[in-house]
Amino acid sequence: MSTVSDLVDRLRDELAGAAFASQVEAAVARAVDHYSTEPWWFLEHEDTASTAAGIATVALPTDYEVIRNVTATVNGTREPLCAKPYDWYVDRLNATTASGEPDYYSIFGETCYLWPTPDQVYTITFSYIRKLSAALTADNEWSATAGYLIGYRAKWDIYLNTNQDFELATLMKQAEGEAYSRLRRRSR
């Protein structure tokens, strides 16, 4: 399976003749959504952004789902930054102006706020779980690595919610559990 479209086509073939085959695309999207925030090894990623002196913000990676860790490179060493709620950041900003090596970060919207405000250029590294597309044209790990897990989850959804075939839904749930366990045991 190379694309989500290939996965959808395979599931449609397996459900051939069933009146609910048209539900496959939506069921695959729901399955991807269900598993998307779990820390799968194939979704782990790092990206960097550069600060500017006197500017307290950097953009977050566009494909992030969950930020796991943020570091600032100081004198060639990646130093971990401590996560703080956005309200904490606003309180500091309103109380004082400080600049230096960033020690803290807050996330609000699609922006990462650094405290203190960087006094020079630093490389900020985001370690995160990627959000991958469930779009039919997507060529990504959902279809290539987790295709069976997503497929069994989608079929369980269809058998349970559309067809209301509880026996087949139970079988698909068991198969999903086995696919989940196999995928969790795998490593890069």
Side-chain angles (χ1 to χ4, degrees), residues 37-74:
T37 59
E38 290 199 32
W40 298 100
W41 54 267
F42 58 86
L43 295 179
E44 293 172 351
H45 194 67
E46 284 192 337
D47 201 358
T48 61
S50 293
T51 66
I55 305 297
T57 61
V58 291
L60 292 167
T62 57
D63 62 345
Y64 90 94
E65 177 76 24
V66 178
I67 298 290
R68 303 291 298 256
N69 187 32
V70 179
T71 62
T73 301
V74 179

